[in-house]
């Protein structure tokens, strides 16, 4: 079963809409935009009084970017005006059978005494009831309803074509050429950016998952060309040049990312303390994970500094 849309104040909100669409749809409302200055997501919140007979305070919608669809939203529940069992029965009547129902006894404001979830073919839904009311967004909330888009086919259809096109062009440029490259061997196997998400999409090819989620969240990550997939080992990184465009790229066995002067590079070296230590290197959306303080990391950094014409500082701390 699919949950295609939700109606709020006689206006239909469907998966596929953007923040800009909502601003037009609710232009008569006082809109609160991007309230969390530390969040990279684009958000839009406005007040509502009720939904399905449930007392509410406001609803908030989130998107990775203004030109991307809303992929999650939440509805803040006002003070409870019906008992908890009645609330759950109301939601069961709308959503169907729950897939989970967890309970807690802690009545503190930071706790959750009830969390129930429902699963649809295109999204997940849930409700969390707080141990006591919380002041959020200038209102006293007793809990929240939340929705998260899982429709990989929709995401892939909307946002993968451009990444696929770029991957195919790069593939054609280096398929039959001895490319200019440098290979760095690390101590750890390198993963796709979305490796941890693949278990949430059984039955889908890993490249399909990567292209969909990269298209929605990480637009600079491409599939690694097949020549590199065949050449590189699991623990190797390659910096190479497109022989046609002379553009430089960094790749592991599965993904690659172009190197341009606008790329931001972050180098974190965490020394052993309570933990064993680790190193993380981020180039745009491309990520390298390895053991701490290895000379191979410095070799990658020196090469990136030459290509990007910048100095990369090492942020060092302890793995506590």
């Amino acid at each position: 079963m699919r949950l295609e849309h939700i109606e709020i104040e006689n206006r239909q909100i469907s998966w596929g809409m953007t923040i800009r669409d909502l601003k037009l749809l609710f232009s008569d409302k006082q809109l609160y935009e991007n309230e969390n200055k530390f969040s990279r997501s684009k958000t839009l919140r406005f007040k509502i009084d009720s939904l399905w007979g449930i007392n509410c305070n406001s609803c908030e919608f989130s998107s990775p970017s203004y030109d991307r669809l809303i992929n999650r939203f939440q509805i803040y529940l006002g003070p409870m005006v019906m008992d908890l069992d009645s609330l759950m029965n109301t939601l069961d009547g709308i959503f169907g059978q729950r897939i989970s129902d967890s309970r807690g006894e802690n009545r503190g404001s930071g706790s959750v005494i009830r969390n129930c979830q429902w699963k649809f073919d295109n999204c997940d839904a849930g409700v969390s009831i707080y141990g006591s009311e919380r002041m959020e967004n200038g209102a006293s909330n007793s809990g929240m309803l939340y929705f998260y888009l899982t429709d990989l086919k929709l995401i892939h259809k909307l946002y993968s074509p451009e990444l696929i096109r770029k991957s195919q062009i790069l593939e054609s440029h280096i398929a039959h050429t001895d490319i200019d490259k440098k290979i760095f061997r690390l101590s750890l196997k390198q993963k796709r950016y979305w490796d941890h998400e693949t278990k949430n999409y059984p039955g889908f090819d890993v490249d399909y998952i990567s292209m969909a989620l990269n298209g929605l969240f990480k637009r600079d990550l491409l599939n690694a060309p097949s020549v590199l997939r065949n050449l590189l080992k699991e623990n190797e990184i390659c910096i190479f040049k497109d022989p046609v465009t002379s553009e430089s790229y960094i790749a592991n066995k599965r993904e690659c990312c172009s190197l341009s002067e606008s790329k931001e590079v972050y180098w974190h070296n965490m020394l052993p303390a309570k933990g064993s230590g680790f190193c993380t290197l981020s180039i745009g959306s491309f990520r390298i994970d390895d053991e701490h303080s290895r000379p191979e990391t410095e070799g990658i950094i020196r090469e990136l500094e030459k290509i990007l014409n910048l100095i990369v500082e090492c942020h060092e701390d302890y793995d506590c």
Side-chain angles (χ1 to χ4, degrees), residues 65-310:
S65 180
Y66 284 122
D67 64 347
R68 292 298 188 254
L69 54 71
I70 292 163
N71 66 314
R72 65 172 69 228
F73 65 95
Q74 52 205 39
I75 297 166
Y76 294 98
L77 307 181
M80 298 290 287
V81 295
M82 65 172 72
D83 64 74
L84 201 49
D85 288 336
S86 296
L87 172 63
M88 296 306 169
N89 289 336
T90 296
L91 295 175
D92 284 340
I94 298 166
F95 297 150
Q97 185 175 359
R98 303 169 211 165
I99 63 167
S100 69
D101 187 342
S102 59
R103 303 166 191 248
E105 299 298 330
N106 190 336
R107 293 286 171 171
S109 62
S111 65
V112 172
I113 59 170
R114 193 78 176 269
N115 183 269
C116 299
Q117 294 181 315
W118 295 262
K119 191 167 188 63
F120 298 89
D121 293 338
N122 62 329
C123 67
D124 293 340
V127 62
S128 290
I129 304 299
Y130 307 149
S132 62
E133 292 181 9
R134 300 179 191 175
M135 284 301 298
E136 299 169 311
N137 303 317
S140 182
N141 299 314
S142 62
M144 69 174 173
L145 282 163
Y146 53 91
F147 303 85
Y148 182 72
L149 181 67
T150 60
D151 193 343
L152 202 66
K153 289 183 179 180
L154 174 62
I155 297 170
H156 192 278
K157 177 182 177 181
L158 292 175
Y159 305 124
S160 293
E162 180 62 14
L163 292 186
I164 293 171
R165 184 186 69 83
K166 290 180 178 180
S167 295
Q168 290 173 340
I169 290 174
L170 182 60
E171 174 83 26
S172 68
H173 286 180
I174 73 170
H176 306 290
T177 306
D178 185 15
I179 58 173
D180 180 10
K181 62 184 180 298
K182 290 187 178 180
I183 296 176
F184 302 85
R185 182 165 295 179
L186 310 177
S187 62
L188 301 181
K189 290 182 179 181
Q190 301 302 296
K191 299 179 179 180
R192 296 174 187 271
Y193 192 95
W194 300 104
D195 257 6
H196 63 288
E197 290 286 340
T198 55
K199 65 181 183 299
N200 297 324
Y201 301 100
F204 284 94
D205 177 78
V206 289
D207 280 344
Y208 187 97
I209 297 170
S210 290
M211 283 288 96
L213 297 181
N214 285 340
L216 180 59
F217 295 103
K218 305 289 180 182
R219 308 183 203 188
D220 55 346
L221 288 180
L222 308 178
N223 281 333
S226 56
V227 64
L228 294 181
R229 292 190 175 201
N230 294 329
L231 172 69
L232 295 177
K233 294 180 172 61
E234 297 279 353
N235 63 332
E236 290 181 334
I237 293 293
C238 176
I239 294 177
F240 68 97
K241 185 173 289 188
D242 182 332
V244 176
T245 66
S246 295
E247 185 173 1
S248 294
Y249 289 81
I250 188 166
N252 57 33
K253 191 175 179 67
R254 298 173 180 84
E255 291 179 317
C256 69
C257 179
S258 68
L259 296 175
S260 65
E261 291 184 0
S262 62
K263 277 287 184 294
E264 293 182 312
V265 180
Y266 296 99
W267 178 16
H268 297 276
N269 193 54
M270 307 302 287
L271 300 174
K274 291 182 180 179
S276 59
F278 61 89
C279 177
T280 300
L281 182 59
S282 299
I283 308 99
S285 297
F286 190 86
R287 180 182 170 107
I288 298 171
D289 294 298
D290 205 10
E291 295 176 350
H292 71 91
S293 309
R294 298 190 75 242
E296 288 81 2
T297 304
E298 294 191 11
I300 295 172
I301 291 294
R302 301 290 87 82
E303 191 68 20
L304 291 173
E305 287 180 330
K306 286 192 295 184
I307 294 170
L308 299 174
N309 192 29
L310 50 75

